[in-house]
Amino acid sequence: MRGFDLDQNGIISYVALGDSFTEGMDDPYPDSGETPNGRYRGWADRLAEHLADNVAEVRYANLAVRGKLIRQIVADQVPRAMELRPDLITICAGGNDIIRPGTDPDEIAEIFRRTIAKLSETGATIVVFTGMDTGFQPVMRHLRGKIATYNMHLRAIADEYGCLVVDLWSMKPLQDHRAWSWDRLHLSPEGHRRLSLRACEVLGLPVDADWREPWPPEAPRDWRMARQDDLHWAREFLVPWIGRRLTGRSSGDGVRPKRPNLERLR
């Protein structure tokens, strides 16, 4: 499928669906702070901004909420997207399911397929995202095969329904620790910036930067400092994450979508 058709004098409506990845954690706006309920920017907001640079008006909604599983995205976000009937839909779903023990990527992919079939009824251009290659992350490396299986399904679904694909697996610059926030699960502001540029490339939007740009050289880290970082991460992220899994809680409990309606950008 070719890129997204743009009318520079026209109006584009865009709806983003997903979890924390699409909500924008951990890329806060300068005036929001890094509080749990702060407003995040993220690659989807940045993509909407790029769209606004190229057309007369962009109306943008972001329904994504952190921590959501694919069934929750289908139940809570897809009906609203169908109701809004936008020109462009981006959806990244299933990641929180895949990282949980015992989940079946074939089953998750079938849910995703039915979701894309439904969203296709809107006539919107749909952009889907593959999972990241976690081979560079020691804690997440064991999920690599499971993610690869899911990715193969996603590509087949994209082919079936004519979706555009942002291939995160092949984005080698995101395999640098500086592309990730302190929790090692969400992108850093620079990671989100690069991903937005990649999404623009897939859509055929002109940009003035390259997501492939090499990272600047970095001084070697002392092993003691690296060990302290590992301990801090385990204490501040891993232990609370395990606690939420054991008690059935989610980081998205009580969190509302940051842009529930199609609103003019700028």
Side-chain angles (χ1 to χ4, degrees):
M1 184 175 180
R2 58 191 175 86
F4 188 50
D5 289 329
L6 287 176
D7 178 359
Q8 292 185 344
N9 298 314
I11 298 173
I12 296 296
S13 56
Y14 165 36
V15 174
L17 308 177
D19 50 32
S20 59
F21 176 79
T22 302
E23 184 185 345
M25 296 173 71
D26 286 322
D27 182 19
Y29 277 92
D31 60 351
S32 69
E34 294 189 50
T35 59
N37 293 318
R39 184 185 172 203
Y40 291 97
R41 189 184 186 189
W43 66 265
D45 284 22
R46 292 170 182 265
L47 173 58
E49 292 161 10
H50 283 295
L51 284 167
D53 289 337
N54 290 277
V55 297
E57 182 178 328
V58 170
R59 296 172 182 170
Y60 169 49
N62 190 317
L63 308 181
V65 174
R66 67 198 71 171
K68 295 303 180 181
L69 302 172
I70 191 168
R71 289 180 176 85
Q72 295 171 312
I73 292 170
V74 171
D76 300 338
Q77 300 176 29
V78 170
R80 180 58 175 157
M82 298 285 294
E83 180 181 301
L84 294 172
R85 302 194 72 82
D87 303 302
L88 174 66
I89 296 172
T90 59
I91 178 168
C92 185
N96 286 324
D97 300 81
I98 290 292
I99 65 176
R100 293 191 174 205
T103 52
D104 182 356
D106 298 337
E107 179 183 350
I108 298 167
E110 177 56 25
I111 298 171
F112 192 88
R113 189 196 66 77
R114 294 197 299 267
T115 301
I116 296 301
K118 191 70 175 174
L119 290 173
S120 294
E121 296 174 11
T122 65
T125 295
I126 301 174
V127 181
V128 302
F129 295 73
T130 69
M132 182 72 60
D133 182 355
T134 58
F136 72 102
Q137 292 182 328
V139 177
M140 306 283 283
R141 188 176 296 147
H142 68 286
L143 295 170
R144 197 168 187 241
K146 197 173 177 182
I147 295 170
T149 299
Y150 190 50
N151 284 352
M152 294 301 291
H153 283 299
L154 293 183
R155 285 196 165 277
I157 294 166
D159 285 345
E160 181 179 358
Y161 291 97
C163 303
L164 297 172
V165 178
V166 176
D167 185 15
L168 299 181
W169 186 278
S170 67
M171 289 186 68
K172 301 305 181 185
L174 295 189
Q175 295 181 13
D176 187 290
H177 74 92
R178 288 168 287 183
W180 299 88
S181 69
W182 69 273
D183 68 8
R184 307 181 186 181
L185 187 62
H186 299 107
L187 292 172
S188 66
E190 177 60 15
H192 279 286
R193 186 188 74 86
R194 289 178 184 251
L195 180 52
S196 72
L197 293 173
R198 179 71 178 103
C200 286
E201 182 179 82
V202 169
L203 286 167
L205 297 177
V207 292
D208 57 4
D210 188 353
W211 62 268
R212 303 172 185 81
E213 181 182 357
W215 292 88
E218 186 179 33
R221 289 199 306 162
D222 181 80
W223 70 269
R224 296 179 185 85
M225 182 178 297
R227 178 59 174 164
Q228 288 176 353
D229 288 345
D230 290 342
L231 292 173
H232 175 76
W233 173 80
R235 182 176 63 252
E236 299 296 330
F237 174 75
L238 183 59
V239 172
W241 184 85
I242 292 173
R244 289 196 298 271
R245 299 289 80 75
L246 292 175
T247 58
R249 292 178 293 121
S250 167
S251 59
D253 290 345
V255 178
R256 303 289 298 169
K258 63 181 182 180
R259 294 181 67 97
N261 303 306
L262 282 173
E263 298 175 348
R264 181 170 183 169
L265 196 69
R266 299 179 183 171

